[in-house]
Amino acid sequence: EDAACDSFAALEDGNPAHPSVLFNVGLCRERDGRLDEAEEFYERALVADSGADYAASGLDRIAQHRRGLMQADSRFH
């Protein structure tokens, strides 16, 4: 996974508007827990291709994750 993420990050420099590259960089950021960055890459992928449902799914995952964190925080604090 690390090598793939490194490769996608390198590809992003030369392909700053390629939806698949942007999505995969976002996926790597999401994997690393860098949700704000992941969200930014997913949004850029949607701008590059408004039909990129895989990027929309990534945004949905992040939103669900954040909702879960908020629910856990409210229960345990």
Side-chain angles (χ1 to χ4, degrees), residues 12-61:
E12 195 262 331
D13 288 337
N15 301 283
H18 193 284
S20 293
V21 171
L22 296 170
F23 168 76
N24 282 293
V25 172
L27 194 60
C28 291
R29 297 296 198 281
E30 183 181 353
R31 176 198 74 152
D32 294 340
R34 297 160 60 182
L35 300 182
D36 290 340
E37 292 176 31
E39 189 173 45
E40 180 183 321
F41 277 97
Y42 292 150
E43 288 172 352
R44 286 175 56 196
L46 282 172
V47 168
D49 177 4
S50 62
D53 57 346
Y54 47 88
S57 294
L59 289 170
D60 287 343
R61 264 193 321 278

